[in-house]
Amino acid sequence: QAGHVPGAAFMDLIRAFSDTTTGLGFSLPSPDQLAAALGALGIGNDNPVVIYSTGQIMWATRAFWLLRYCGHDRVAVLNGGLKAWRDAGHPVTSGDESYSPTRFEPQTRHEMFVDAAGVQAAMGDSSTCTVNALSPEVYAGTGDHHYGRRGHIPGSLNLFYDQLMDGHRFRPAEMLTRTLKDSGMLDAPRVITYCGGGISATVDAFAC
């Protein structure tokens, strides 16, 4: 409300686009719940969508991932978010804006998310590359910050999402390619990314 790209509506990832009944932050809602939330925002199946965040780009990549999960392909992330928009001298406006509600028909890509049983099965599968997107300290279990228990899923690698960023922007494509190849993610037949709540993991996934 304090300042946004003119015409932009607000996408509430915390409440409208998460299952708030699980006791865990950012649990995946059902396809029907997601479709209803997208329709309420005014997003139909044929609408091009540009998503941006006011802070870390991970919020935009999480939204991108949810739309792709629902089968919506005409979606992009504004590189650099609101900061890059402001730095370029583009206008901002305040208050609330919205689009007319519409209907969204989900065509769910269930393979874009995995549950705990799927991760456990992947632990013994050499064709799956499981990657932790958090900081090296959180991954190693040595830092002050942790998510319930210290450490990482056995066998998982570490690619800190910040290695893919240059400030608020993604690094150039050739640098991303090199970093992702070095991690083994681009050559793996299947990749699972995870973090502490399902937000920063989408940065690694989006970069892939």
Side-chain angles (χ1 to χ4, degrees):
Q1 290 178 335
H4 59 266
V5 174
F10 176 60
M11 188 176 190
D12 189 345
L13 286 175
I14 295 175
R15 289 171 288 270
F17 285 84
S18 297
D19 182 351
T20 60
T21 67
T22 66
L24 300 169
F26 310 110
S27 295
L28 179 67
S30 71
D32 287 343
Q33 287 176 298
L34 283 174
L38 289 170
L41 265 185
I43 299 175
N45 295 74
D46 296 326
N47 293 126
V49 178
V50 177
I51 301 173
Y52 74 94
S53 55
T54 56
Q56 290 277 6
I57 205 167
M58 64 180 67
W59 297 101
T61 55
R62 167 71 180 197
F64 171 92
W65 203 254
L66 290 174
L67 265 74
R68 291 295 299 272
Y69 169 74
C70 285
H72 195 28
D73 289 330
R74 302 182 69 188
V75 54
V77 170
L78 175 61
N79 198 15
L82 186 62
K83 184 178 187 306
W85 180 267
R86 287 180 182 272
D87 289 350
H90 297 308
V92 296
T93 190
S94 60
D96 288 314
E97 296 190 70
S98 61
Y99 296 97
S100 298
T102 188
R103 183 172 180 80
F104 185 90
E105 293 288 348
Q107 298 174 1
T108 312
R109 295 182 172 108
H110 293 286
E111 71 277 5
M112 292 188 70
F113 280 89
V114 67
D115 59 12
V119 174
Q120 289 173 322
M123 289 168 63
D125 180 6
S126 60
S127 67
T128 300
C129 180
T130 303
V131 178
N132 181 306
L134 299 170
S135 71
E137 294 77 19
V138 175
Y139 172 79
T142 58
D144 293 333
H145 185 66
H146 59 89
Y147 293 88
R149 289 186 292 169
R150 296 181 183 276
H152 56 269
I153 294 172
S156 63
L157 308 177
N158 182 218
L159 178 57
F160 185 23
Y161 74 87
D162 198 50
Q163 291 180 250
L164 305 171
M165 306 300 300
D166 182 7
H168 286 258
R169 295 177 179 271
F170 277 98
R171 294 185 183 275
E174 61 273 12
M175 295 181 68
L176 292 180
T177 299
R178 185 161 60 248
T179 301
L180 293 167
K181 274 190 169 293
D182 288 347
S183 72
M185 295 172 76
L186 288 190
D187 296 322
R190 182 170 182 254
V191 173
I192 297 172
T193 65
Y194 75 97
C195 56
I199 307 299
S200 58
T202 64
V203 176
D204 286 22
F206 179 89
C208 281

